[in-house]
Amino acid sequence: MRQFLKFIQEFWVAATYVGSTNTVLSRAMLVNQFQMLKRKIPILHLIILVNSLGLAIAHSFHAPLTLSASLPGAILAICVIRFIRRLDSWGAMEPEDIREALRQTLVNSTLLAIGFGTWGLMLFGYGTREHQAFTAIFIFMSAIGCAYCLGSLPKAARYMIFFSGLPMAIRLMVTGDMLLMGMGLNLVFVSILVIRMLGVYFTSMEELIESREAIVDQITRSEVAEARALKTAMTDALTGLANRRALTLSLDRLINDASQGDDTVPVRFGVAMMDLNGFKPINDTYGHAAGDEVLITVASRLDKLIRDDGLVARLGGDEFAALITTAQTDADCMAYGRRISDAINQPITIGDTTLRISGSCGFAIYPVSGANGDLLINRADTALYHCKRNRSVDVAVFQLDLEEHLRRRLKVDQALRSAIENNEIGMAFQPIFDLTTGRLISFETLARWYHPSIGHVPPDEFIEAAEQSGLIADLTSQILEKSLTAAASWNSAISIS
């Protein structure tokens, strides 16, 4: 008995199996079956209802009323109830719920096929041979129509023909009437053909869905790869921050939105350029690995500080930049810059070593400092350069006089290199006397430089430029050589300093 019950249970599971949800393809198949079935179930209800009413009317004078009318009434009520329940329950569903709905549809359609087929066989015994043929045709055509409606659920379609159409065909074949037997044999062949066609149809549908899912999967893979490539192209590999390209695109987009009057973006915002002071000695002393750790730590601090107010990016080396939507005035920029400087100035521990660096920060404000991205970045860089030259200043906001000063400084740097190469630095000798005797005892050498387009350049300006551009050794050597050449013709008692 236990083995028999186990067999029945296994048979039921196999008979009502509609698919699995284990793979992406199987889930897609269930969803597509479900979508197609949703559109055709109302048609199935209509076929059953119309044909049952037709049979009931045709047999109203030959069969008992309880048989000809009561069952169609029950079928009508069941169809209406099932249709209403489908409208309520067949909304957005998970694959597992869809699988259960398909299984329930398989069971219900099978019961409907058995009930409809049994009712047809019971009506077959009433009326003339013409009525019997009429009944067989109605039942069989109803089964075929319902099977096509259930084509996306092939097991249900086969059950509809097996339990509704084929019994009627077999009943025709055992009547002993040659006409009816011929009809029955024809209906058997038609049943086999329809079942075969439904199998081909479902196989084609499976192949189509599999092909479509393969295309979708390929497109998804391509989109994921494209998104990864785009992220890589927009991200600094070391720190994970945005890179120069991402900063430029974000800045241009923000300027475009602001210029078009987009209410979601501020009409003023700050662009900051940041640089680390003392980073190169760390790289030289502790190695590039330690330098990378410093950059990663600083990047994390800056991202945490600026993330909610804009975007921070690493441009390369120890240079960072940021878009800060809340920095809209000079005072805002100065306050934000100090917060940035404080964050950078915090000690950094690498292993057993504690390192300290500082930061400089230059700001430019849109649209006061510039109306396009390149100009804003250049002017923020000008403000940063001002900080680097004036060690006592760690935060600066761009002003026009800073740019004028930078232009002169760049012009002086370029002209100074040429002046040293062409031996254009002039000399002046300031005499030094002994106040007690009034005798000339030495000369102090003074460097002087006149440039045709710049004019007289003060010594403190071009000497500082030489120091910062690495030309001071060449300048000193040239001045010393000229001084010694001039002193060679003096009285040996006069020295030079």
Side-chain angles (χ1 to χ4, degrees):
M1 185 63 180
R2 184 175 299 174
Q3 291 296 325
F4 177 73
L5 292 176
K6 183 179 180 181
F7 170 77
I8 293 297
Q9 182 181 13
E10 291 176 351
F11 175 78
W12 174 258
V13 171
T16 58
Y17 179 77
V18 294
S20 71
T21 58
N22 295 334
T23 65
V24 174
L25 182 60
S26 63
R27 290 192 292 272
M29 179 65 69
L30 288 176
V31 170
N32 280 274
Q33 287 178 273
F34 181 71
Q35 294 296 333
M36 296 179 68
L37 203 58
K38 276 205 315 185
R39 294 192 294 268
K40 294 182 178 180
I41 282 296
I43 301 175
L44 182 148
H45 289 155
L46 186 62
I47 290 172
I48 291 291
L49 179 60
V50 170
N51 285 351
S52 62
L53 287 176
L55 276 178
I57 294 172
H59 286 82
S60 58
F61 298 104
H62 304 285
L65 184 62
T66 54
L67 178 61
S68 62
S70 299
L71 192 56
I75 293 175
L76 174 61
I78 291 172
C79 288
V80 171
I81 293 171
R82 293 295 301 165
F83 181 70
I84 293 174
R85 289 185 62 186
R86 291 286 183 225
L87 290 179
D88 290 339
S89 61
W90 280 17
M93 300 171 66
E94 295 297 323
E96 192 60 43
D97 297 328
I98 289 176
R99 188 168 75 102
E100 180 57 30
L102 292 177
R103 193 193 69 80
Q104 191 62 47
T105 299
L106 172 62
V107 173
N108 292 338
S109 62
T110 303
L111 293 177
L112 180 62
I114 294 172
F116 192 66
T118 302
W119 180 62
L121 291 174
M122 293 173 67
L123 286 177
F124 188 83
Y126 295 93
T128 63
R129 186 176 71 167
E130 288 74 13
H131 283 88
Q132 291 176 333
F134 177 81
T135 300
I137 292 298
F138 258 69
I139 294 295
F140 188 81
M141 293 305 296
S142 298
I144 295 299
C146 291
Y148 271 105
C149 290
L150 296 167
S152 58
L153 194 59
K155 191 173 288 187
R158 290 195 295 268
Y159 289 173
M160 180 62 70
I161 294 176
F162 286 155
F163 295 118
S164 185
L166 277 179
M168 184 58 68
I170 295 172
R171 180 68 180 86
L172 288 171
M173 293 175 64
V174 298
T175 57
D177 186 298
M178 294 301 296
L179 176 63
L180 297 182
M181 289 172 63
M183 286 182 59
L185 183 61
N186 181 261
L187 295 182
V188 169
F189 288 142
V190 171
S191 298
I192 295 172
L193 180 61
V194 169
I195 291 173
R196 173 61 181 164
M197 290 175 61
L198 288 172
V200 172
Y201 163 75
F202 186 73
T203 300
S204 299
M205 187 182 77
E206 282 185 314
E207 292 174 352
L208 178 62
I209 293 173
E210 184 175 354
S211 175
R212 188 180 67 186
E213 289 301 312
I215 294 173
V216 171
D217 181 64
Q218 184 62 39
I219 292 174
T220 302
R221 290 176 182 271
S222 299
E223 290 176 345
V224 169
E226 183 179 354
R228 287 177 179 171
L230 181 60
K231 183 178 180 181
T232 301
M234 296 290 183
T235 304
D236 177 62
L238 176 63
T239 63
L241 296 178
N243 60 14
R244 183 184 292 272
R245 182 183 179 190
L247 176 79
T248 302
L249 290 176
S250 297
L251 178 56
D252 291 342
R253 184 165 55 248
L254 194 60
I255 291 173
N256 181 64
D257 292 343
S259 63
Q260 293 182 0
D262 189 339
D263 295 336
T264 62
V265 300
V267 295
R268 293 166 65 103
F269 57 85
V271 176
M273 296 290 289
M274 296 158 280
D275 189 77
L276 306 183
N277 303 319
F279 176 72
K280 189 175 184 303
I282 292 176
N283 246 352
D284 295 341
T285 304
Y286 298 99
H288 291 287
D292 289 347
E293 286 296 322
V294 170
L295 292 174
I296 292 170
T297 302
V298 170
S300 177
R301 292 176 182 177
L302 293 177
D303 184 49
K304 184 177 180 181
L305 176 64
I306 300 173
R307 183 188 310 155
D308 295 336
D309 298 324
L311 173 73
V312 61
R314 179 180 175 232
L315 304 185
D318 61 344
E319 189 176 20
F320 296 84
L323 306 180
I324 305 174
T325 57
T326 56
Q328 301 180 0
T329 65
D330 288 5
D332 292 338
C333 292
M334 294 299 294
Y336 218 110
R338 293 188 186 96
R339 291 168 59 193
I340 291 173
S341 181
D342 290 342
I344 296 174
N345 292 349
Q346 295 298 315
I348 299 174
T349 301
I350 300 176
D352 298 330
T353 305
T354 300
L355 304 174
R356 289 184 178 274
I357 58 173
S358 62
S360 300
C361 186
F363 279 88
I365 302 174
Y366 172 85
V368 179
S369 302
N372 65 73
D374 290 340
L375 185 57
L376 286 169
I377 291 176
N378 288 338
R379 289 185 164 175
D381 204 32
T382 298
L384 174 63
Y385 181 75
H386 173 70
C387 295
K388 301 291 284 186
R389 287 188 63 249
N390 297 273
R391 298 302 176 89
S392 60
V393 178
D394 55 2
V395 182
V397 181
F398 174 81
Q399 306 295 335
L400 285 176
D401 60 334
L402 292 180
E403 189 168 51
E404 292 298 326
H405 180 77
L406 177 61
R407 286 177 181 172
R408 176 177 172 83
R409 176 57 183 274
L410 292 175
K411 195 172 184 180
V412 168
D413 286 349
Q414 293 299 319
L416 179 62
R417 186 178 298 275
S418 176
I420 294 174
E421 290 175 355
N422 297 323
N423 202 22
E424 295 174 355
I425 302 299
M427 305 296 302
F429 298 98
Q430 180 172 299
I432 300 175
F433 293 90
D434 186 339
L435 295 180
T436 59
T437 64
R439 186 175 61 88
L440 177 66
I441 58 173
S442 68
F443 283 96
E444 180 183 4
T445 303
L446 302 175
R448 294 292 182 264
W449 180 32
Y450 174 82
H451 189 271
S453 62
I454 301 176
H456 288 284
V457 182
D460 60 340
E461 183 178 354
F462 70 77
I463 289 175
E464 181 184 6
E467 288 175 344
Q468 295 189 357
S469 59
L471 298 173
I472 191 63
D474 293 337
L475 178 61
T476 302
S477 176
Q478 188 175 114
I479 292 173
L480 180 60
E481 182 179 354
K482 286 186 175 183
S483 300
L484 295 175
T485 301
S489 61
W490 300 344
N491 188 317
S492 59
I494 300 175
S495 64
I496 189 170
S497 62

